[in-house]
Amino acid sequence: MKLLHIDSSVLGQHSVSRALSAETVARQRALHPGIEVVYRDLVAEPLLHLSPAHIAVFQGAAPENDTLAADIADGAKLLDTVFEASVLVIGAPMYNFGISSQLKAWVDRILIAGRTFRYTTEGPEGLLPGGKKAFIVSSRGGSYGQKAADHQEDHLKIALGFIGITDISIIRAENISRGADAREAALAAAREEISSLAA
């Protein structure tokens, strides 16, 4: 059994999503002894954003330089880990109402027509093996009850569902920028949720 752990916060040791994603992974280790964890820090090891040169390679052209070739090979390995993982833990802070650009670059590498989804006469169909579970570890400076302001959690839920991952849980810490008391309350609530996770 494999778990893919993704972090995408630029805040390093000060990151709430990084702390909580690590605790979520620890809980999964406790629930599933022997689980293999594959970790990717998208800030320390960023993927390049898609470019015309990427699209050309995807359509059969040779990479125009070694940097592009290495990035495409890296993206292919990451895609393999998505196929292989039974569990995904995605640290996803909200930045300006959406996900970080680093995490968006990862999403762009895993939504691939003909590989992770296909279009049918009934609409799109996810192609990932069934039975996968995803935990989105969400951190937010404020509270976003109005869906119109949320392009973070919904974005990830739609993207994952599009490729066939529909068993998705949100572990959320919000209002973390509204003072020390609000931050501690948010962390406590998220940690209680993590500790109550069942196999």
Side-chain angles (χ1 to χ4, degrees):
M1 184 175 183
K2 289 188 177 181
L3 181 153
L4 175 59
H5 178 192
I6 297 287
D7 271 330
S8 63
S9 169
V10 301
L11 297 180
Q13 64 180 353
H14 304 292
S15 167
V16 167
S17 67
R18 285 177 181 271
L20 295 177
S21 73
E23 291 176 29
T24 303
V25 170
R27 177 62 177 161
Q28 290 301 303
R29 285 185 187 274
L31 291 169
H32 306 285
I35 192 170
E36 179 184 345
V37 176
V38 177
Y39 178 67
R40 179 61 178 256
D41 183 335
L42 295 174
V43 176
E45 299 178 87
L47 291 158
L48 296 178
H49 292 286
L50 289 181
S51 68
H54 283 87
I55 302 304
V57 174
F58 297 157
Q59 294 176 343
E64 61 185 29
N65 56 53
D66 291 345
T67 299
L68 179 63
D71 182 70
I72 288 173
D74 188 25
K77 289 179 184 176
L78 268 179
L79 182 60
D80 288 342
T81 65
V82 173
F83 272 94
E84 294 166 0
S86 299
V87 180
L88 287 79
V89 175
I90 304 170
M94 176 184 275
Y95 291 160
N96 300 318
F97 309 107
I99 60 175
S100 69
S101 64
Q102 292 87 354
L103 186 53
K104 178 61 167 64
W106 177 78
V107 169
D108 287 341
R109 299 304 181 89
I110 67 168
L111 268 67
I112 302 174
R115 183 76 193 276
T116 56
F117 73 91
R118 66 184 173 192
Y119 292 108
T120 72
T121 55
E122 284 76 39
E125 176 185 18
L127 297 178
L128 290 185
K132 294 182 185 294
K133 171 74 176 174
F135 296 93
I136 297 171
V137 181
S138 166
S139 60
R140 303 166 163 203
S143 179
Y144 297 87
Q146 294 181 339
K147 286 292 183 181
D150 179 0
H151 303 283
Q152 171 213 19
E153 293 175 3
D154 285 350
H155 181 123
L156 291 170
K157 287 166 63 178
I158 291 168
L160 293 173
F162 204 74
I163 60 177
I165 303 175
T166 56
D167 186 357
I168 301 171
S169 296
I170 305 289
I171 297 168
R172 181 186 304 118
E174 60 184 2
N175 293 320
I176 59 174
S177 294
R178 294 187 172 176
D181 289 346
R183 179 185 177 93
E184 288 308 311
L187 287 169
R191 286 173 171 143
E192 182 175 353
E193 189 171 356
I194 292 167
S195 68
S196 68
L197 292 175

